[in-house]
Structures are given as structure tokens and as C-alpha cells.
Amino acid sequence: MRTTRTSRTHPRRPVDALDASAQRAFRLPLAALLGGMALLVLAGLISVTQGAAGLPLEGVVRALVDKLPGISLDQTLTGTQEAVLWQIRAPRTVLAALVGGSLAMAGAGYQGVFRNPLADPYLLGVSAGAGLGAVLALGFGLNLSWGPVDALPAAAFIGALLAVTGSVLVARGSFRDPATLLLAGVAMAALFAAAQTFALQRLDQTRAREVLSWLFGRLATAGWAPIMLLLPYVVLAGLVLLLHARHLDVLRLGDDEAKALGLHPARSRFIVVGAATLITAAAVSVSGLIAFVGLVTPHIVRLLVGHSYRILVPMSFLVGAAFLALVDIGARTLAAPAELPVGVITAFVGAPFFCFVLWRGMQDA
């Protein structure tokens, strides 16, 4: 009698399954980060070549690559074009990327701490405090400068930190209840906004117009000084947020579960809120009030890579940097030779998105 040979399929061992899962978990963040970096490089190249004085892409790429160590290329840009590139376009593009990335990363941190998808970097009165400081510096000549820091960024920075400190004091330092801290921030924002409006009414028309231009958000710069002011805070606070991204994942489970896993929820919230506020205040001090970047960007990233903050926080920085660099192109070109405030364009994009997120949340409730 002929016997039939049957084939056997061996089940995958648990260790093999775990290895495959770990590889997939590693490949997704790596691919996402590489894609985010590519998007940022593309946005940066578009930004430096577009404007009233158009710069050739090939010449810009040659000039940028020539700055890399060990590489020397023949330059095709004229002297005037090189001056435009290195004194105007490149600083402005880098500033837009740093500001956009900072606000987006802070937005992801705030949303994780407050477990609220509508949270953004202008909670806790940050924007209102910075606005009041700018009004006092621009309108009344308040000089709080120190070292290489000009009066305007210094006043805006100090105003933002005062507003946040007031929010924490009103909430009695309670980081166990995010809702209490959030409501304290709303109250503090209203107080500083009222003071800002009162101060504006005391200014003459010329100074009031200058102050309003700053309040609407602007990225105009003629050099690298604002970038040098902002960069240390981006590195320091950004590193803290990256190191605490895992804590935000744990906080999503609730305080009791977080404590069971060995996490101190109140301390983690304090550190994340402090880092997010520091990076927001620094960004606002050099760019003015640019709203909705910190709200829109984390939501876009969630749609692309999921809800894990370990990938959400760094991706928010990359996508936010690319987003504001592209928005700044519109600010420079849509009403040329005039220039639109960057905050106006982000508001046109962000306000409808905010309404959509709110409507979607009500539908899911």
C-alpha cells in the first residue's frame, strides 16, 4: 500500500514572533524619521529658492554642499545672490524650521500631559504673557536685555515665563490634576491679554502698528542672531521632551496604572510642562505669536505614524519645521512686494482644522 507523505508546517516559535515584531516596530519609526527628514530638507530647499529675488536651485545646492567639511565645489551664484542666500534666506528658513519644530514638539507634549487633543503651546498664558512683554518693550521702551539678547526677545521671554509661573501658583502647583492647571492657564491668559489690550490703547498709531505686526507673527530676520538665541533652548528642552516621550505613553493609561509601572505622574507632568513652556517661550520671543502649529502638526503626525509619543514627539518637530518653512513661502510671496504675517496664514489653516477636530470629538462621544 502506498503511503501518502504529508507536509508538516512548524508553528513559529514565540521568540521568532517577538523578533519579527521588534523588527517591524523598529522599521516604522526609522522609515518615518527618514521621511520626516527628507520632507524638511525639501521644504528648506524650496524656501531658500523662492522669493522676490529668485535663486537657482543648482546654485543653492552647490553653495550649501560647499559648506560641508572636506567638500569644495565651484560656485555659480553671483556675489549678490550669495549675500541674499546667507544673510536673508538661509537664516529665515532655519528660524522658521526651529520655531515650527519647537511649537509642534511642545504641542505634542501638552497634548500628552493634559490628555487633551485640543491642547496647544499657548496654554497656561504663554502667548498672552509674551505678547504683554513685547508690547512693553516695543511700545514703552522697556529694556530687559542681557548680554547678546535684545530687549524684545528678552521681554517676551520673561513675560511668557511670568504667565506660566502665575498659572502654576494659581493651581497651587497641582500637577496631579491637569484640568485644574488648564483652567488656571485660561484665567491667566485672559488676565495678561487684558493688560496687553490696555497697554496697546496707550500707544500712538505708529508704535501700535509695529506692535501688532509682531503680535501677528513674523519671521523677518537679517542675520543669525535670533537663531543663536533660540537654539540652546531648542536643544535643551527638546532633549528633555524626547527623553520623557515614554512617560507620556505611560500617562495615557491613567495615573493608577502609571504608578503601578513605577512612574511618578506629577513629577513627569511637571518636567514635560516645564520643558514645553520653555521651548514655547523661546520660540515666541523671536517670532511673535504664531498660532495653531502646535495643534495641527501632532494630529497630522498621528494620522501618519500612530499615537506612540516615542515617535510622535520627534516626528512632530520634523513635520512642524517643514510646515512653517512652507507657510513662510506664502507669507513672502502671496502679497508681494508686501509681506503677510505668518500667524495669519497659520490661523487660516489651523482654525478650520481645530473646528474639524472638535466636531470629530463630539461625533465620537
Side-chain angles (χ1 to χ4, degrees):
M1 184 176 63
R2 187 175 61 181
T3 58
T4 305
R5 188 175 182 182
T6 59
S7 61
R8 282 186 167 179
T9 58
H10 296 281
R12 180 182 291 181
R13 292 182 301 167
V15 175
D16 295 337
L18 289 176
D19 289 343
S21 177
Q23 290 175 2
R24 288 194 299 270
F26 175 76
R27 283 198 298 266
L28 175 60
L30 181 60
L33 290 174
L34 291 176
M37 292 177 185
L39 176 64
L40 178 57
V41 170
L42 179 62
L45 287 176
I46 296 174
S47 178
V48 296
T49 56
Q50 299 300 311
L55 299 179
L57 178 60
E58 181 184 357
V60 168
V61 172
R62 283 180 170 272
L64 294 175
V65 174
D66 185 63
K67 294 295 182 180
L68 297 176
I71 298 179
S72 178
L73 295 177
D74 294 333
Q75 299 303 303
T76 58
L77 297 179
T78 65
T80 301
Q81 289 175 331
E82 284 195 1
V84 170
L85 173 63
W86 294 114
Q87 298 178 21
I88 299 176
R89 293 282 178 79
R92 179 159 179 163
T93 299
V94 173
L95 182 64
L98 288 177
V99 170
S102 299
L103 296 178
M105 182 182 282
Y110 279 129
Q111 290 172 14
V113 164
F114 295 111
R115 286 180 286 183
N116 187 342
L118 299 180
D120 76 348
Y122 294 109
L123 294 170
L124 309 181
V126 175
S127 62
L132 178 60
V135 169
L136 296 177
L138 286 173
F140 297 93
L142 178 65
N143 189 358
L144 298 175
S145 61
W146 71 87
V149 183
D150 293 334
L152 175 59
F157 187 81
I158 293 174
L161 292 184
L162 286 177
V164 173
T165 303
S167 300
V168 175
L169 291 177
V170 169
R172 296 183 179 181
S174 175
F175 286 88
R176 294 183 177 87
D177 185 6
T180 301
L181 188 59
L182 186 60
L183 291 175
V186 171
M188 196 58 57
L191 176 63
F192 274 76
Q196 180 186 129
T197 302
F198 176 78
L200 276 172
Q201 290 181 336
R202 311 294 296 178
L203 298 177
D204 59 63
Q205 187 175 3
T206 302
R207 288 189 174 182
R209 186 181 298 111
E210 183 182 2
V211 171
L212 287 174
S213 173
W214 187 91
L215 291 176
F216 289 150
R218 64 184 186 187
L219 293 169
T221 178
W224 297 89
I227 297 165
M228 294 298 103
L229 169 65
L230 177 58
L231 189 60
Y233 298 100
V234 174
V235 174
L236 176 62
L239 183 61
V240 172
L241 290 173
L242 288 173
L243 292 177
H244 284 76
R246 183 181 63 84
H247 295 199
L248 295 176
D249 282 330
V250 177
L251 288 174
R252 291 171 55 196
L253 304 175
D255 285 7
D256 292 338
E257 290 79 0
K259 291 178 181 177
L261 293 172
L263 186 69
H264 194 294
R267 182 173 58 197
S268 295
R269 287 196 181 97
F270 176 81
I271 294 174
V272 172
V273 168
T277 300
L278 180 64
I279 199 172
T280 300
V284 168
S285 70
V286 298
S287 69
L289 309 184
I290 302 177
F292 291 107
V293 177
L295 173 67
V296 173
T297 305
H299 282 282
I300 295 174
V301 174
R302 283 190 185 93
L303 294 175
L304 297 175
V305 300
H307 295 266
S308 174
Y309 283 92
R310 280 175 288 185
I311 183 63
L312 181 63
V313 171
M315 277 296 295
S316 292
F317 180 87
L318 294 174
V319 176
F323 172 72
L324 198 58
L326 294 174
V327 166
D328 185 50
I329 298 174
R332 288 188 272 119
T333 59
L334 289 178
E339 185 172 312
L340 291 174
V342 178
V344 172
I345 300 180
T346 58
F348 270 116
V349 175
F353 190 88
F354 180 89
C355 295
F356 170 74
V357 173
L358 184 61
W359 173 82
R360 183 178 174 182
M362 294 176 64
Q363 291 293 108
D364 295 339

